[in-house]
Amino acid sequence: MAEGIERVKCLIIGSGPAGYTAAVYAARANLEPVLYTGKEPGGQLMITTDVENYPGYPEGIMGPQMMEDFRKQAERFGTDVRYEMITKVDFTGPVHKAWSETGHEIQADSIIISTGASAKWLGLESEKKLTNKGVSACAVCDGFFFRGQEVAVVGGGDTAAEEALYLSKLCPTVHLLVRRDELRASKIMQDRVNKTENIKVHWNTEAQEILGENEVEGVRVIQNKTKETSIIPVKGFFVAIGHKPNTDIFKDWITMDSTGYIQTNGKSTKTNITGVFASGDAQDNVYRQAVTAAGTGCMAALDAERYLTEKGII
Ligand code: NDP
């Protein structure tokens, strides 16, 4: 083997709940996992405040604290955590190859992909400034903090419909801001939105600026046909214009759907490439919860362990 090339039994790419859970299981099964965190160690939970729906934390926990606990648990059993990105892979041979951002080559008998997804944002300055101060991309995570208050949701797809419906059970009015004169969401979700009296749909409407200094106080919107602007007073502003799975580096090898979510085989985490497994949001556009990501991370480690056992590697 050439100098500088490292051989590992199990390489885990990504450090959200899926990656760290895979690491806990893989380390305890003696797979001696090496985990590359990626550029956002801890993943999407690092931009959440209180997590109140993860079982086992009756008082709730801050997202970043929870991810630190996940990391410590993975390290306790010997996971080698590296704060770097994997920027390139090659899955042509029986041994899979991956390169870190510094050009270090790793040859892995098994790989667990847990690179997650990133919420898409509108790109407004005020959105960045007020993230976690009333601006959120996850109603299930943060909606509870706005119960009894007016909120806005941006988007017209299934995610926006789902977020609006979720919030409609907590908030007196949900203002759904849709940039066209129709929803992209599935028919059934459109029907649900239309039947929900406290969801007020603002057609042909775009957010121009989210108002407030240390908390959201409202949103200035523009009616894109008449160009009229107005202010809707809201305390919560939810961006629901879709997620993008972080799977670009795998696209030459791994079977994905048209939006880049990795397809797994049946009830397993197996991908189309033998020895490569996928877990968490990189392969799930439906549930997208920390607890479901952790569950599939566990599955991926068990699948990898079985694969390595069958191959006689462990
Ligand atoms: P989609 O891409 O389907 O929809 C995104 C929506 O956001 C569109 O209405 C789009 O408008 C709007 N949008 C995009 N950019 C902007 C912007 N800059 N300003 C304002 N609006 C914007 O994403 P989803 O996350 O909703 O859905 C992704 C996939 O996941 C879909 O296949 C969906 O069916 C699936 N899904 C399924 C669920 C379920 O089955 N329960 C739940 C959630 C998602 P426009 O229409 O004008 O392009």
Side-chain angles (χ1 to χ4, degrees):
M1 202 177 294
E3 209 185 344
I5 299 176
E6 181 184 17
R7 179 76 178 255
V8 303
K9 288 183 223 161
C10 180
L11 172 67
I12 300 171
I13 310 176
S15 58
Y20 281 138
T21 305
V24 169
Y25 275 77
R28 294 186 78 252
N30 260 348
L31 308 192
E32 297 164 7
V34 170
L35 181 150
Y36 276 75
T37 61
K39 73 172 186 303
E40 286 158 14
Q44 290 183 77
L45 280 167
M46 300 302 283
I47 55 158
T48 315
T49 49
D50 294 87
V51 179
E52 296 182 333
N53 54 8
Y54 199 96
Y57 294 101
E59 308 303 327
I61 181 161
M62 299 299 272
Q65 179 63 51
M66 183 170 151
M67 293 326 296
E68 197 183 321
D69 291 348
F70 269 61
R71 177 183 54 76
K72 281 187 188 151
Q73 193 173 354
E75 284 182 330
R76 182 179 150 213
F77 299 109
T79 305
D80 181 351
V81 176
R82 300 179 186 172
Y83 294 88
E84 269 185 79
M85 292 266 284
I86 293 291
T87 49
K88 191 177 133 192
V89 295
D90 180 343
F91 294 161
T92 15
V95 175
H96 306 304
K97 295 179 184 167
W99 287 265
S100 77
E101 62 192 270
T102 53
H104 177 58
E105 179 176 338
I106 298 155
Q107 298 193 347
D109 294 306
S110 69
I111 291 189
I112 295 174
I113 298 172
S114 40
T115 44
S118 304
K120 291 188 200 159
W121 296 97
L122 296 171
L124 303 172
E125 256 322 294
S126 49
E127 171 190 58
K128 214 185 268 172
K129 185 178 82 183
L130 291 163
T131 295
N132 285 338
K133 295 174 181 166
V135 172
S136 165
C138 177
V140 179
C141 318
D142 298 328
F144 186 70
F145 305 117
F146 302 99
R147 62 196 185 283
Q149 302 181 356
E150 305 262 312
V151 293
V153 175
V154 184
D158 277 330
T159 300
E162 212 168 59
E163 303 268 280
L165 288 162
Y166 182 86
L167 291 165
S168 71
K169 297 184 189 111
L170 302 169
C171 304
T173 312
V174 179
H175 299 273
L176 183 59
L177 312 181
V178 181
R179 69 177 171 184
R180 290 188 294 138
D181 58 1
E182 61 176 350
L183 295 172
R184 182 188 288 274
S186 52
K187 179 80 177 63
I188 185 163
M189 295 301 269
Q190 293 196 27
D191 286 348
R192 284 187 197 152
V193 166
N194 292 336
K195 280 188 192 139
T196 306
E197 279 180 8
N198 62 335
I199 299 180
K200 182 170 180 338
V201 183
H202 300 255
W203 300 109
N204 300 304
T205 300
E206 289 174 52
Q208 270 192 330
E209 191 185 357
I210 306 152
L211 307 171
E213 273 311 309
N214 289 313
E215 57 175 31
V216 171
E217 283 161 13
V219 53
R220 190 174 66 239
V221 296
I222 180 161
Q223 219 285 0
N224 57 27
K225 289 252 149 78
T226 62
K227 304 291 178 210
E228 251 174 72
T229 60
S230 56
I231 288 172
I232 308 173
V234 291
K235 286 287 183 192
F237 184 87
F238 291 84
V239 181
I241 60 172
H243 287 78
K244 188 184 177 314
N246 303 318
T247 56
D248 286 354
I249 61 165
F250 309 110
K251 68 176 188 307
D252 290 340
W253 318 97
I254 299 283
T255 306
M256 301 173 184
D257 71 11
S258 59
T259 50
Y261 285 95
I262 294 173
Q263 287 181 345
T264 50
N265 193 344
K267 267 190 175 177
S268 78
T269 60
K270 292 177 188 163
T271 67
N272 59 307
I273 302 280
T274 314
V276 178
F277 307 90
S279 59
D281 288 11
Q283 52 85 58
D284 171 22
N285 72 348
V286 178
Y287 300 104
R288 296 197 302 235
Q289 300 301 301
V291 68
T292 51
T296 56
C298 158
M299 289 164 64
L302 294 176
D303 285 342
E305 183 193 352
R306 277 177 203 142
Y307 168 77
L308 294 172
T309 305
E310 277 163 23
K311 287 276 212 178
I313 292 166
I314 54 165

